[in-house]
Structure formats: C-alpha cells, structure tokens
C-alpha cells in the first residue's frame, strides 16, 4: 500500500501534473490538446501522463488516430481520495483559471493535423 501512496503523491507533486488532472476533470483530451493548454513539449506531456496513469489517476483509450485521456472513472480508494481533494481545491488559482479558459479553444482537428 505504501508503494501505491508513493506513486500518487509523486504524481501530484508536480504542478504540471496537477494542471493536467484539473483540465481532465473538465473533459477528456488528447495529448496535442493538453500540450496546447499547458504550453509544454509533447514528450513532456507524455511523460506526465504516464506518471498519472501509473498512479491510477487517469486512463486512456484509443479513438481513431487519437489517444484520449480522462480521469479514472473507477479509481482505487487512495486515488479516489486524491482526485476528490484536487477537484475541491485549487479552484481560485490564476493558472488553473487560465487553463480552464483554454479548454474551450483547443480543437484537435486543427492542432493534431498540422
């Protein structure tokens, strides 16, 4: 159990990963959409997503040419508690507010096809 807790705490110890969790709590997104919102390199976003997935906080699925990411709908109790905490906190942070606004402007059909 300590190993699982360590993975969750590690996953949430980085501000970019918290930002990813916060935007995925709004809606599922693909890597290029997340990259655009966070203004990070694709490889960096992919690494962050891998850590969050390993901790059981998010899941992915393939949809045509896209791999979509969303909050794990059936997390174990430890991950569930962490996700609930993140959902209830950090709402007033300026960066989180900015990310939330950017979600509506990202379009995978434009971003991923260039």
């Amino acid at each position: 159990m300590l190993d699982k807790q360590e993975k969750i705490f590690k996953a949430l110890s980085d501000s970019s990963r918290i930002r990813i969790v916060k935007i995925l709590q709004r809606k599922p997104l693909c890597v290029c959409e997340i990259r655009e919102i966070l203004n990070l390199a694709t490889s960096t976003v992919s690494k962050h997503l891998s850590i969050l997935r390993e901790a059981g906080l998010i899941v992915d699925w393939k949809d045509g040419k896209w791999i979509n990411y969303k909050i794990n709908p059936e997390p174990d109790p430890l991950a569930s508690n962490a996700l609930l905490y993140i959902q209830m906190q950090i709402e007033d942070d300026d960066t989180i507010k900015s990310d939330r606004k950017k979600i509506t402007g990202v379009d995978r059909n434009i971003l991923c096809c260039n």
Side-chain angles (χ1 to χ4, degrees), residues 81-95:
N81 287 337
L83 288 168
L84 182 59
Y85 179 81
I86 294 297
Q87 184 175 2
M88 304 302 289
Q89 303 298 319
I90 318 169
E91 287 298 310
D92 294 333
D93 181 80
D94 290 338
T95 303

